[in-house]
Amino acid sequence: MPTAPAQADDAQIEGSGSTWSQVIFDQWIADVAPRGIRVAYSGVGSSTGRKDFANSTTDFAISEVPYQGIDELGNPDNANGREYAYVPIVAGGTAFTYHLEQGGKLLTGIRLSGPTIAKIFTSAITSWADPAIAADNNGRSLPDTPIIPVVRSDGAGVTRQVTAWLDAVYPDIWRREGRTGATSYFPTSGRMVAAAGSDQVMNTVANPAGNGTIGYVEYSYPTNKGYPVVKLLNTAGFFVEPTQYNVAVALTQVQINQDQSSPLYLTQVLTGVYANADPRAYPLSSYSYMILPVGSADRRLTTAKRQALADLTSFALCDGQSEAGPYGYSPLPLNLVQAGFDQLAKLKAADPAVDLQGRDLTQCHNPTFVAGDLARNYLAEIAPLPAPCDAVGADPCGVPTAPLGGVSVHLSVPAVPAVDGLTLGVGATSLAMAGTRGAASVHATAELAGLTVTDTRADDHLTTWQVNVQATPFTGLPGVIDAAYLGWRPAAPSSTLDTGSPLTVHAGPSVTSMLSDSGSSGLSATQLLAEAVVPGRGTTTLGATLDLVAPSVTLEGTYSSTLTVTLVSS
């Protein structure tokens, strides 16, 4: 995105609301600070954020749900006459994170169906050894530890997301003992513990004394905490996690209000998401909104504040979306980014001095974009299929059937569709890494081979290209190995060129394990495998030596990770 326009004064904008969105929003605030954009944001929950905005005590709000008119407690839930617009800001999945120990070790890889979740959060299932949980895990027995559901104590958008899903899909379980409909205030019962904010829910679960707990939070919280999340059963019969890919797939079936005259313009209806029959779809996926003040007479706003709002929101809609995946969210598709920029135009309509020049979608580094096609979502197209062990009736992934020596790792590489004559070919879709344990580390290597890039485009369509790779955390029954411990040494590319083709391809840099270099993010961040620095026609073969160097305290067992390989044409 172009450099932000100079501010008319050193204005600070203030907002409040969602903790579901706070992890990525805090990062965006840090990103724009060097540009002179000062933002103060308080994660107080969506309900309070909407009230703060209505009372004009803030300049903006962030909420997972729009104004309801009347809330669940019978109180007004509207903007109190203040003019506003909804701007979709980020997508993500609501995760069920848990803390369950066996023999002093944190268990991972637990699978749960929707009915089981519904019964846990209505206190109908109270032990991890319940037969329904064992059935979800294909007979895997879990400890007879009491279940302690951790819910939000404040009015929260994430609570409304969870209860709206329970009410829509499992009403026979949810609508008992006085519970009716979706709500932002969770009705507690049994052993439930209530905590304010997603961070406190996460801290309660991760506490050393939290054995037996399970709570609902945005996926970013357990991702950043290194804690496991439930693999949730979808309509297609697969247990999946809320990765950026599975969320992107699920939200291809969302209904967005496209009526620009409606007060609910750009808000979502999630019925189709819950029922998405794609095996990759995560059912509890949704969008979060910024509530933007657009009135010309808004008493809190000056030209400088409107400019700061425009610059912050432009960054979030554009370059900020490229950070969504690494922080546990999913980037917005092109049609919603475009609609968000259209909403920003209302700031200039309210104050012609606001500068919106240079907001060019072609400069947005968003992994969902397909140039010239608003309907496509590239991230959803390249989303890997779930592993066979994630299907109903299969033994859960990473659960060993016999004692294993060292550490073994299974890596899956998804295929990528053709892009206008530029194609990525994938050889073997899996490989194994046999681990050895030393005094200082656990070390495993494997050869990633058989990747090919073929470019058959006409001269006037030839461009350079890149192949990027990112790994998910290694998960298994013993625990989680951070993908930052996975490094690599890319091999020299080998090209078979068409006659006269100038194609020149360079390998990406080597990446070390975080254990060897504390500043390295390993393959937990997107890394460059190879790039064409001079375009041309031909086929290039790529590869790399994968090096996993993990701490020596890594527990024995089987772990699995997914490598996502992306071909990007510039």
Side-chain angles (χ1 to χ4, degrees), residues 99-269:
H99 180 164
L100 182 62
E101 297 178 10
Q102 187 169 44
K105 299 177 182 178
L106 181 65
L107 296 182
T108 63
I110 293 177
R111 316 185 313 192
L112 296 177
S113 62
T116 302
I117 287 283
K119 291 175 182 178
I120 287 173
F121 281 90
T122 56
S123 300
I125 289 178
T126 58
S127 169
W128 285 101
D130 191 280
I133 296 178
D136 287 344
N137 292 273
N138 211 37
R140 174 189 179 188
S141 60
L142 297 177
D144 189 11
T145 301
I147 295 176
I148 305 170
V150 184
V151 302
R152 289 284 291 273
S153 62
D154 50 337
V158 65
T159 297
R160 190 171 185 91
Q161 289 172 335
V162 170
T163 59
W165 170 65
L166 293 174
D167 188 64
V169 186
Y170 310 106
D172 291 345
I173 301 173
W174 177 247
R175 292 199 172 201
R176 296 178 182 175
E177 300 174 1
R179 292 181 295 269
T180 58
T183 177
S184 298
Y185 301 88
F186 202 96
T188 57
S189 63
R191 291 191 180 92
M192 289 182 187
V193 172
S198 293
D199 55 343
Q200 291 306 310
V201 171
M202 186 70 249
N203 290 340
T204 301
V205 172
N207 190 286
N211 187 29
T213 55
I214 180 171
Y216 54 84
V217 290
E218 210 288 323
Y219 184 50
S220 62
Y221 287 87
T223 296
N224 295 328
K225 200 83 169 179
Y227 249 68
V229 300
V230 165
K231 289 187 175 182
L232 185 62
L233 183 64
N234 63 22
T235 303
F238 284 88
F239 294 92
V240 296
E241 294 186 2
T243 66
Q244 60 173 326
Y245 304 98
N246 295 339
V247 169
V249 170
L251 290 173
T252 59
Q253 297 302 311
V254 70
Q255 291 180 306
I256 299 292
N257 185 325
Q258 299 291 349
D259 181 1
Q260 295 191 25
S261 66
S262 169
L264 294 176
Y265 175 53
L266 295 183
T267 61
Q268 61 197 330
V269 176

Side-chain angles (χ1 to χ4, degrees), residues 7 13 21 38 53 71 86 134-135 167 191 194 197 221 231 237 286 296 301 433 525 533 539 568:
Q7 301 297 299
I13 51 175
S21 306
R38 295 193 299 125
F53 183 87
D71 70 13
Y86 294 116
D167 188 64
R191 291 191 180 92
Y221 287 87
K231 289 187 175 182
S286 60
S296 59
L301 298 188
M433 302 176 73
V533 295
T539 297
V568 180

Side-chain angles (χ1 to χ4, degrees), residues 420 455-463 535 537:
D420 299 329
D455 199 342
T456 60
R457 295 176 290 180
D459 288 347
D460 58 346
H461 286 88
L462 284 172
T463 62
R537 286 186 293 276

Side-chain angles (χ1 to χ4, degrees), residues 6 25 35 57 118 152 157 234 240 319 357 360 367 401 439 547 553 556 567:
F25 199 76
R35 304 181 182 191
T57 57
R152 289 284 291 273
N234 63 22
V240 296
D319 286 5
Q357 294 297 313
D360 185 352
T401 56
D547 289 299
V553 295
E556 181 181 79
L567 173 62

Side-chain angles (χ1 to χ4, degrees), residues 406-407 434-445 481 485-486 513-517 547-556:
V407 177
T436 58
R437 187 183 300 276
S441 66
V442 171
H443 186 209
T445 63
I481 303 174
Y485 292 120
L486 180 65
S513 163
M514 182 172 65
L515 192 66
S516 305
D517 177 4
D547 289 299
L548 178 69
V549 185
S552 60
V553 295
T554 300
L555 297 176
E556 181 181 79

Side-chain angles (χ1 to χ4, degrees), residues 349-376:
D351 185 346
V354 173
D355 183 3
L356 295 181
Q357 294 297 313
R359 271 63 182 184
D360 185 352
L361 289 178
T362 64
Q363 302 302 313
C364 293
H365 304 295
N366 184 319
T368 72
F369 285 10
V370 177
D373 192 342
L374 292 173
R376 288 178 64 187

Side-chain angles (χ1 to χ4, degrees), residues 268-486:
Q268 61 197 330
V269 176
L270 297 171
T271 307
V273 176
Y274 303 154
N276 192 325
D278 192 299
R280 303 167 295 177
Y282 184 76
L284 205 45
S285 300
S286 60
Y287 296 112
S288 183
Y289 315 103
M290 177 180 279
I291 301 176
L292 195 70
V294 296
S296 59
D298 194 299
R299 61 186 175 86
R300 282 194 61 93
L301 298 188
T302 62
T303 296
K305 280 194 171 187
R306 288 191 179 93
Q307 189 66 61
L309 280 168
D311 296 339
L312 169 66
T313 310
S314 294
F315 177 85
L317 286 170
C318 195
D319 286 5
Q321 296 297 310
S322 67
E323 299 178 301
Y327 279 87
Y329 297 85
S330 188
L332 298 175
L334 180 54
N335 64 319
L336 288 187
V337 175
Q338 178 64 69
F341 277 119
D342 293 343
Q343 294 286 66
L344 279 185
K346 296 178 180 179
L347 288 174
K348 187 172 181 63
D351 185 346
V354 173
D355 183 3
L356 295 181
Q357 294 297 313
R359 271 63 182 184
D360 185 352
L361 289 178
T362 64
Q363 302 302 313
C364 293
H365 304 295
N366 184 319
T368 72
F369 285 10
V370 177
D373 192 342
L374 292 173
R376 288 178 64 187
N377 184 323
Y378 187 65
L379 197 67
E381 291 176 10
I382 68 171
L385 289 169
C389 54
D390 283 324
V392 169
D395 287 335
C397 300
V399 178
T401 56
L404 298 174
V407 177
S408 62
V409 184
H410 178 81
L411 296 172
S412 172
V413 184
V416 177
V419 181
D420 299 329
L422 183 66
T423 60
L424 175 64
V426 179
T429 58
S430 63
L431 54 96
M433 302 176 73
T436 58
R437 187 183 300 276
S441 66
V442 171
H443 186 209
T445 63
E447 295 300 320
L448 175 65
L451 299 177
T452 60
V453 177
T454 301
D455 199 342
T456 60
R457 295 176 290 180
D459 288 347
D460 58 346
H461 286 88
L462 284 172
T463 62
T464 57
W465 48 259
Q466 293 183 338
V467 174
N468 300 310
V469 178
Q470 184 176 16
T472 63
F474 296 81
T475 59
L477 180 63
V480 178
I481 303 174
D482 195 319
Y485 292 120
L486 180 65

